[in-house]
Amino acid sequence: MFNEMMMNDEVREPYRALVDWMEASGPETLQQKRLEAETLFRKIGITFAVYGEGGDPERLIPFDLIPRIFTATEWRKLERGVKQRARALNTFLYDVYHNAEIIKAGIIPADLVFRNAAFEPAVIGIDPPRKVYSHIVGVDVVRVGPDDFYVLEDNCRTPSGVSYMLENREIMMRMFPELFSKLRIEPVESYPDMLHKTLKSIAPKRCDREPNIVVLTPGAMNSAYYEHSFLADQMGVELVEGQDLFVSEGRVYMRTTRGPARVDVIYRRIDDAFIDPLCFRPDSVLGVPGLMNVYRSGGVAICSAPGAGVADDKAIYTYVPDMIRFYLGQEPILNNVPTWKCANPDDLKYVLENLGELVVKEVHGSGGYGMLVGPASTKEEQATYAERIKADPGDFIAQPTLALSACPTFVESGIAPRHVDFRPFCLVGDDIRLTPGGLTRVAMREGSLVVNSSQGGGVKDTWIMAE
Amino acid sequence: MLSRTADNLFWLSRYVERAENMARLMEMGYRMALMPAAGDGNRSEWASVLSASGCAQGYDPDMPLRQAEVADYLIFNRDNSSSILNCFENARANARAMRTAITAEMWEALNNALMELRRTAMHNLAKTDLPEFIDWVKRQGALFRGATDSTILRNDGYDFIRLGIFIERADNTARLLDVKYYVLLPETSMVGDGVDNYQWTTVLRAASSLRAFHWVYRDDYSPYHIAHFLILNPFSPRSLAHCSEQITNHLEHLARHYGQRSPVHSLAVETYSLLTQTRMDEIFSQGLHEFLSDFLKRNQTLSSAIAETYYFGGQ
């Protein structure tokens, strides 16, 4: 297992200054800092819980104060790799809603795309501004060695967690001002500004003035409401709910105290199915009746575009390296995790024979739910799971259990290595932009590989060292 | 600004102001009840407080009209939409629905107040030491207003907050004065005696206006002056005249800001003129209760007109 901080009993270079500082400070100072951070975070944490509503303390995400550090070189590679994927995924999305060249070329099976639940026939043929469907791509990356990065999955719809990236940094800068003044750590504060620029750049062609941008939230009861309000706040745009918007004469308006105000760009944080009750789920009250018609006629831009989810399906994921080769004529910079598709009889046979060593996931699952972690499972669990796979093989993929890298983390017993993953946020508009940073998630339990916050994972600040 | 946001800001400040005024009403009841019984031991203070609060209808007729029961109803009862607990819950729900329109300081003031109020210790405090609890509520109102005044932008959002405060406060001052009417009702012969005067000064006290009054009228605590101070004196921060002036100002500000006038502006000016042009003896001869009832109606109409003008219910 790769340790982010230590290699062959030596402190790895990007961590040297941090380790020196920790040693010079001594365990007492660290312990004190830890308590301080806890107090600080409890304060902010309370706010998180309040926004999450229900006041359920379980929903608080544990924060760890030992940062995860990347060198400039490591970051450059990650950055290039993520941008490459974001570009390929967007080309793919445009393609499948237009000529479907990649399917005609026999690279991706038609069924996998057209019979996919996330494929949205309502947007076939639509040309969104700049041909971009997914404007914010969250790519989940894991590391297994000094130079081995693997992409676990791509999130093309509405990846969340960026508010944690910003809040974590805020806390860290308050806790360790001396480290920040000594080390050259790339700032992440520009994210809201970059997001704003991206949203501005996708305004519909028919928009003849400074575009009016809004963030569309399902409302205060949503668990990510904090992030929605945080981003709207940071960008200085309105945070709206479906009831605040309405459609009239081919345009979208919001209800203001001065009467209707036209809206040009909607950063929606609600699912496709709820966007427009006239087009999708008729029982939904979250969306805006008629919105899809306006979108289709180019009267409003929607970020991310409806139907973008077809690109981040776990079965489609296996073809991303092929997409990169097909559309961009390049070799993938970041690798996929080798994946067995149970839809494929040979793969299925292999998976069923090796359940004990594999991680099996549902194709449409998310949040770490409904998966089987082979090495951590019992014979009975494996047998039950095997039945599920056999019942509908197309619904499952399997991957080897990766030895995720570990990062030193404050736990009950002191400082100990815990497994981490990493989600940088890539913005796609007139340009492809990446904030030097991202969200590092950490599995707080010893040996656990599950970093999802819904499964008790925590978060860390991520430092990218400046050149 | 989103209509929903304006709506939320308006009601957010109304609810905080209302919570505080519920406390003031109780303070008045508490102080009046400390006096020897008037007439044949007819103690109607808590019934009066209930009537003046506007939530007498929901009060269980089988419950005794004693401090413990009435106070509990006015503070903690979930079914009473104007109970202090519900006021804070509603204020916070409004704040949460438009978290980006208020500052962190305002949010914290509100959130802390509600968290503390939900603790059982508060329940006990209200039982054992009502005055202390009332002070706590008033302090929360002051904290929230202070946080608002010192942190929020002076844009249209501020106008809606201030409109909410003064619509609610005018409503409450009128109700406070009306308590006096309800208490006095059966014993008109008592006018001018010691109990009567004590009750009038209690009204002043509950409006946190005793000292302010003293500065203006010295020690002439006549009903005429007290009513004048709380109705017509534009320098008294809780007077109907002052509230009306503030409402007119903030509506004017919105009109300038939006470049648009509407019937709501004339409506506000009309009430304001009434309060600047009427004399106290005219009010007394018309009947204080009648005057106040008329004012409460006007205030309610104005509140609805604001909601209509700025599309609180959508458009």
Side-chain angles (χ1 to χ4, degrees), chain A residues 1 89 153 195 217 256 259 279 416 464:
Chain A
M1 177 190 73
L89 287 162
E153 64 178 15
L195 177 61
T217 172
T256 80
C279 190
I464 312 294

Side-chain angles (χ1 to χ4, degrees), chain A residues 81-223:
Chain A
V82 168
K83 284 183 174 177
Q84 185 190 48
R85 282 181 91 92
R87 194 173 283 130
L89 287 162
N90 267 297
T91 317
F92 167 75
L93 280 165
Y94 187 85
D95 188 24
V96 297
Y97 289 117
H98 290 81
N99 295 328
E101 304 286 356
I102 201 162
I103 293 168
K104 289 180 193 153
I107 293 172
I108 300 184
D111 264 14
L112 215 52
V113 175
F114 299 134
R115 300 184 66 182
N116 193 307
F119 182 81
E120 191 42 72
V123 304
I124 288 173
I126 291 181
D127 281 353
R130 301 184 188 277
K131 298 188 177 183
V132 178
Y133 276 78
S134 175
H135 311 82
I136 300 137
V137 185
V139 177
D140 289 343
V141 180
V142 296
R143 185 177 201 178
V144 299
D147 296 311
D148 298 322
F149 291 96
Y150 287 104
V151 173
L152 268 191
E153 64 178 15
D154 309 279
N155 299 281
C156 294
R157 279 168 269 199
T158 50
S160 55
V162 77
S163 56
Y164 289 101
M165 169 181 89
L166 297 166
E167 294 281 26
N168 289 351
R169 177 60 56 86
E170 197 62 31
I171 293 281
M172 290 298 278
M173 288 180 77
R174 263 207 260 181
M175 295 295 305
F176 304 107
E178 64 276 28
L179 269 174
F180 279 88
S181 61
K182 200 161 22 169
L183 302 181
R184 295 180 53 225
I185 302 154
E186 296 273 12
V188 293
E189 291 77 34
S190 58
Y191 181 85
D193 191 40
M194 282 165 54
L195 177 61
H196 195 236
K197 280 201 181 79
T198 302
L199 294 173
K200 236 158 97 169
S201 79
I202 59 159
K205 290 189 193 75
R206 281 168 60 193
C207 178
D208 46 5
R209 41 136 215 213
E210 183 74 359
N212 193 5
I213 300 166
V214 299
V215 175
L216 175 60
T217 172
M221 303 311 282
N222 187 272
S223 63

Side-chain angles (χ1 to χ4, degrees), chain B:
Chain B
M1 162 167 290
L2 282 181
S3 295
R4 184 170 51 87
T5 305
D7 189 359
N8 284 325
L9 287 172
F10 179 78
W11 279 100
L12 160 65
S13 57
R14 279 198 74 158
Y15 279 122
V16 175
E17 190 72 22
R18 184 175 299 177
E20 207 182 325
N21 281 293
M22 281 292 152
R24 289 177 198 285
L25 277 169
M26 277 187 286
E27 178 168 19
M28 200 150 87
Y30 177 81
R31 283 183 172 275
M32 286 186 176
L34 289 182
M35 280 305 287
D40 303 323
N42 176 13
R43 307 304 302 250
S44 60
E45 294 87 2
W46 288 104
S48 311
V49 167
L50 264 186
S51 309
S53 72
C55 30
Q57 275 198 326
Y59 194 76
D60 183 351
D62 295 336
M63 288 289 270
L65 288 162
R66 284 188 311 232
Q67 176 181 318
E69 289 79 10
V70 175
D72 190 65
Y73 176 72
L74 293 179
I75 301 171
F76 294 108
N77 196 302
R78 290 274 178 191
D79 298 328
N80 173 9
S81 63
S82 290
S83 72
I84 290 176
L85 181 59
N86 277 336
C87 283
F88 278 114
E89 294 272 8
N90 289 336
R92 183 165 161 284
N94 276 286
R96 227 181 136 249
M98 40 115 210
R99 186 60 193 81
T100 51
I102 61 167
T103 63
E105 284 83 353
M106 293 166 73
W107 171 259
E108 263 170 45
L110 208 53
N111 200 35
N112 288 346
L114 182 62
M115 294 296 163
E116 221 169 307
L117 189 59
R118 280 175 177 166
R119 283 183 204 132
T120 40
M122 273 304 195
H123 224 105
N124 296 333
L125 178 67
K127 261 191 207 124
T128 57
D129 199 347
L130 191 59
E132 167 89 351
F133 178 83
I134 287 166
D135 283 348
W136 178 86
V137 177
K138 289 199 283 190
R139 209 155 49 234
Q140 302 314 308
L143 275 174
F144 178 74
R145 271 194 313 279
T148 305
D149 277 352
S150 56
T151 58
I152 202 162
L153 276 177
R154 266 33 178 189
N155 56 14
D156 44 348
Y158 182 68
D159 291 320
F160 285 111
I161 289 177
R162 300 276 290 182
L163 283 172
I165 291 178
F166 289 107
I167 289 275
E168 185 68 25
R169 185 179 293 175
D171 180 272
N172 282 281
T173 299
R175 287 182 194 281
L176 271 181
L177 278 163
D178 231 13
V179 176
K180 178 62 188 127
Y181 162 81
Y182 281 112
V183 170
L184 266 187
L185 195 57
E187 299 110 356
T188 36
S189 63
M190 308 289 288
V191 173
D193 73 356
V195 175
D196 183 44
N197 279 344
Y198 177 82
Q199 290 178 339
W200 274 105
T201 52
T202 302
V203 175
L204 271 183
R205 225 186 262 277
S208 300
S209 300
L210 194 59
R211 286 305 299 260
F213 177 87
H214 189 67
W215 288 327
V216 181
Y217 305 93
R218 294 296 151 194
D219 49 3
D220 185 3
Y221 293 100
S222 65
Y224 180 93
H225 279 148
I226 292 175
H228 181 266
F229 189 67
L230 290 179
I231 297 174
L232 299 181
N233 191 325
F235 300 105
S236 155
R238 311 198 72 83
S239 75
L240 305 187
H242 176 76
C243 293
S244 181
E245 185 185 355
Q246 293 290 330
I247 291 168
T248 313
N249 285 348
H250 284 287
L251 281 172
E252 279 301 324
H253 192 243
L254 283 174
R256 268 203 312 280
H257 187 58
Y258 290 171
Q260 207 170 26
R261 300 185 69 81
S262 65
V264 73
H265 295 93
S266 332
L267 212 59
V269 169
E270 193 187 297
T271 304
Y272 182 52
S273 312
L274 177 80
L275 290 165
T276 47
Q277 284 158 20
T278 309
R279 289 194 325 269
M280 208 51 229
D281 48 2
E282 288 170 347
I283 294 176
F284 271 125
S285 63
Q286 174 197 344
L288 181 60
H289 176 64
E290 286 66 27
F291 176 84
L292 292 172
S293 303
D294 174 61
F295 177 84
L296 284 171
K297 239 179 267 150
R298 282 171 173 275
N299 199 46
Q300 177 50 41
T301 308
L302 190 58
S303 174
S304 312
I306 291 171
E308 198 180 313
T309 306
Y310 299 106
Y311 310 104
F312 287 3
Q315 59 224 138

